[in-house]
Structure formats: structure tokens, C-alpha cells
Amino acid sequence: MSTSSNSRFRPFKVVKKVRESSTITSFYFAPIQSDHWRRFEAGQFLTIRVPDGKTDRPVIRNYTVSSAPADEGFYRITVKKEIALVPGIADGLASSWLHDVVEEGTIVDIDGPHGAFKLDRLSKRPVILLSAGVGITPTISMLKVLANESDRPVWFIHACDGGAVHALESEVDALAAIRQDLNVHYCYRFPSDEDTRQGRYHSTGFISRPTLQKLLPLDDYEVYMCGPPPFMQAMYDLLLDLGIEKNKIAYEFFGPASLLAPSKTPEPAAPNMPKPAEPADDPSTAKLCVTLRKSGDKFEWKETSESILSFLEAQGIEPAFSCRAGVCGSCLQTLVSGDVVYTEEPLEETPSGKVLLCCTKPTSSIVLDL
């Protein structure tokens, strides 16, 4: 098992802090050393260290870059302050630290950019950028690239509760004014009287099938979407129902990817039948297997799988994860036996006997403590 003992974090200074809405603020980071800024693709994220206030060990959080790749020398992230809805539960640790503690001049440790969710610049297909709430962060970065560096038709569709929480609106409108085939549609769930007077939205409630049918001419679209899980599931089902192929729907989703499987009626369970005895393994023909110790499930490894995490998801298993890039540690599991290889170097050294599911593949049959 390969590991890394060198930290990839670098110090960046907050050079600007801008309030974007009642709940969302942007932070601009410039590197202390200019060569620490790295090029990125629209849609990728940064990883930052956040003090947890209780221990000396910081927590790790990921935030999508909302600036354009052409904006060299700095990164911008745009963050919603997560307010607890249940009494007695603390507000979001990282978002509260950024909003309430971090100011211009604060030094923040940053690694990245990372992430496979990124705009395909080589494609010529028309694009749907679909977002809700602070999910606008990757889609506005993508819009900046499309507006200034391509002639692809774009439909930028954004949903939020209302004007008070609508971030980066003027920025999107300015980009849309660059050419006529950059189309913008805002859907407000709870528009205020002032929102209505100002004409700030185009539809109300939820983004629906009739709304999309009215907006979108028939075409071979490429879709990029980001937002809260219920929004993502609803939009994924709707896009498939409209005939968009699932391999043309890209998304940023922090949660089990299997939640975005199309809704379907479960098949009836097969009757309980005794399992035939399994033949002993023949070492000359043995194939790699992934065994889950707690459940007893055993699966034959597929070489086409991107990682152990994606392989398990394809079997209907939903391990915890967040970044899918070896940086957050959410998918760390105990490796009972077997060997793995890292397809991407993890952010920090992996403890002995542990494995990050999102960036490893087995090199022998393995047993996981799952």
C-alpha cells in the first residue's frame, strides 16, 4: 500500500471577502508564494484545513472554485453558512469559521484543485447548467468558460428560495449578455413581493417537466448539475424521463452516488433456497474478490471499476464518502487482509491497516471490515 508523508497543503491569504446574499459569502485566496497557484478546470474543488476548536487536529473540507480558470493567481470559493435547523445542534463548523472568523488577511491552508467533475472543453454539444442554492458554484465557473471561450449554446437554470438568498445573480446576468444563445432561467420557490416587483425570477415553485420542455428545444445536450440531494434526485429522474442519456449527465454530489439511480419498482425477493456448496478455489484460475467481513458478502472484482468505492456502489453497497479524490478521509475503512494500490496519491498518510476506498484498486483478493 503506497502512502504519502508530505503534506500537500500550502498557505494562501484571504485577499477579499464579499457578501453575496443573506447566507452566502465569497472568499478570494491568493498564494503566499506565486508558484503555489495551480491551473484548474471549471467544476473542480479546493481542500482546506479548518480548526475544529476542540483538538489540535484540523478538519478537512472541500469547496468548489467559483472563479474562472482564466482568472490566474487567485481562487474564489463561494460558501453558504450552514445553520442548524434543530435546537441543540451546532451550526456547520467549517462554514461558520469561514463566515464568522476568517477575514481579509487570514492565512488558510489549501490543497488542490482536485475533482473529476469538470467541464468538457472539447465537446461541441449544447450545454445545460442546472443548479440549486449554493450548487451554483461549479456552474458559474463553467458558464464563464462557455461564455468567453466557446460558441456552444447554453441554458443556465438555477433554483433557490428567493432573491434574499440568490447569490451571484448579477455576475450570471453579465455573462449571459455576452451573446444571445446564453439563456438564463431563475426559479424561485418562495418569491417575495419585492422579487416580483423587480422581475427577478422566471418561474416559481420547483423546476418541472413543463418548464424544461418549454425552455429547451430538442437537441443532443450535455448536462452539468449541482445542488442538494433531493433536487439532484428529482432533476436526474426528470432529465432521464426527457430522453437525455445518463452518460451525458455529469454532477457534483456529496453522498452515495447510488441515490441518483433512476426510480424503479423493486423486484420481488427470491424464495429462500439452500445455496450450493462453493467449489474450492483453484489457484491457477482464481480471480480477485472483495469480501465484506461483517455482512459476509463476496463479490468478484471488475477490472473496469474506477475504484473500490465505485465497485461497491455498483453492487448496491453505500460506504460513506465525500470528495472521491483521496483528500477528505470520509471513505477510510479497515483493510482486514489483502493488498491495494493507490490510483491517486492520498492527501495525508493513510494509517496502517486502513484503506481509502475512493482512490484504490485491489492487487489481490481483499477483505474489508464492512
Side-chain angles (χ1 to χ4, degrees):
M1 182 187 302
S2 64
T3 59
S4 172
S5 59
N6 297 321
S7 173
R8 301 188 324 216
F9 285 96
R10 298 292 183 266
F12 281 70
K13 179 186 289 187
V14 178
V15 294
K16 190 191 301 185
K17 180 178 179 180
V18 178
R19 186 73 170 263
E20 306 287 4
S21 78
S22 63
T23 59
I24 295 174
T25 298
S26 288
F27 302 83
Y28 293 71
F29 299 104
I32 301 300
Q33 295 180 215
S34 60
D35 60 346
H36 287 166
W37 187 88
R38 291 164 46 190
R39 294 186 179 278
F40 66 97
E41 296 293 331
Q44 292 190 300
F45 62 85
L46 302 177
T47 300
I48 70 172
R49 279 176 168 160
V50 177
D52 75 355
K54 297 179 181 178
T55 68
D56 293 334
R57 186 176 179 83
V59 297
I60 304 298
R61 292 293 185 269
N62 301 318
Y63 292 102
T64 302
V65 184
S66 61
S67 51
D71 297 332
E72 297 187 6
F74 73 92
Y75 300 119
R76 181 182 74 174
I77 63 172
T78 303
V79 181
K80 177 185 177 183
K81 184 175 182 180
E82 299 296 341
I83 305 297
L85 301 178
V86 180
I89 303 297
D91 296 341
L93 171 66
S95 64
S96 294
W97 177 72
L98 285 165
H99 278 251
D100 301 338
V101 178
V102 169
E103 299 293 346
E104 293 179 3
T106 300
I107 304 299
V108 178
D109 289 337
I110 291 177
D111 175 66
H114 297 286
F117 178 64
K118 50 191 177 184
L119 179 69
D120 181 359
R121 294 195 186 205
L122 299 179
S123 174
K124 301 299 183 182
R125 292 189 183 94
V127 179
I128 301 172
L129 300 176
L130 186 56
S131 61
V134 78
I136 197 173
T137 51
T139 59
I140 193 170
S141 183
M142 293 175 180
L143 182 63
K144 291 176 178 181
V145 174
L146 292 164
N148 293 294
E149 302 177 23
S150 85
D151 57 1
R152 300 164 67 182
V154 179
W155 281 262
F156 187 95
I157 304 169
H158 180 67
C160 62
D161 281 350
V165 294
H166 188 174
L168 307 174
E169 176 186 8
S170 60
E171 205 167 300
V172 171
D173 291 342
L175 290 166
I178 292 176
R179 46 188 175 87
Q180 290 185 340
D181 57 354
L182 297 181
N183 308 278
V184 171
H185 183 93
Y186 300 135
C187 180
Y188 282 7
R189 189 178 176 192
F190 306 113
S192 67
D193 292 341
E194 186 62 24
D195 292 336
T196 301
R197 281 193 293 270
Q198 294 182 11
R200 296 184 65 179
Y201 59 90
H202 305 93
S203 64
T204 60
F206 298 95
I207 296 172
S208 64
R209 180 189 178 101
T211 298
L212 293 183
Q213 287 177 317
K214 183 178 179 180
L215 280 175
L216 304 171
L218 292 176
D219 213 330
D220 184 23
Y221 293 103
E222 209 164 80
V223 181
Y224 298 87
M225 66 176 183
C226 185
F231 169 84
M232 298 281 280
Q233 179 65 74
M235 293 300 99
Y236 190 74
D237 287 345
L238 180 54
L239 292 168
L240 293 180
D241 191 47
L242 289 172
I244 296 177
E245 299 174 21
K246 63 181 179 180
N247 64 352
K248 294 177 183 174
I249 305 173
Y251 49 83
E252 183 71 281
F253 188 70
F254 295 107
S258 58
L259 291 181
L260 289 190
S263 301
K264 61 181 180 180
T265 304
E267 297 178 0
N272 290 326
M273 298 290 289
K275 294 182 178 179
E278 295 185 3
D281 290 337
D282 179 353
S284 65
T285 61
K287 297 183 178 180
L288 271 61
C289 290
V290 177
T291 301
L292 309 184
R293 187 183 66 81
K294 292 179 181 178
S295 68
D297 291 331
K298 184 177 182 179
F299 306 101
E300 184 179 313
W301 170 254
K302 307 296 184 186
E303 289 298 334
T304 55
S305 300
E306 294 181 356
S307 66
I308 298 174
L309 175 62
S310 62
F311 170 76
L312 291 175
E313 290 175 332
Q315 317 309 314
I317 311 299
E318 299 182 356
F321 77 90
S322 181
C323 71
R324 304 185 81 95
V327 298
C328 71
S330 298
C331 66
L332 189 70
Q333 296 289 343
T334 298
L335 181 63
V336 179
S337 64
D339 297 297
V340 300
V341 61
Y342 277 83
T343 57
E344 184 169 348
E345 186 180 11
L347 181 64
E348 295 184 338
E349 184 174 356
T350 307
S352 177
K354 300 288 185 178
V355 61
L356 289 171
L357 302 181
C358 73
C359 56
T360 50
K361 292 184 176 183
T363 56
S364 69
S365 290
I366 62 172
V367 178
L368 298 170
D369 192 27
L370 281 171

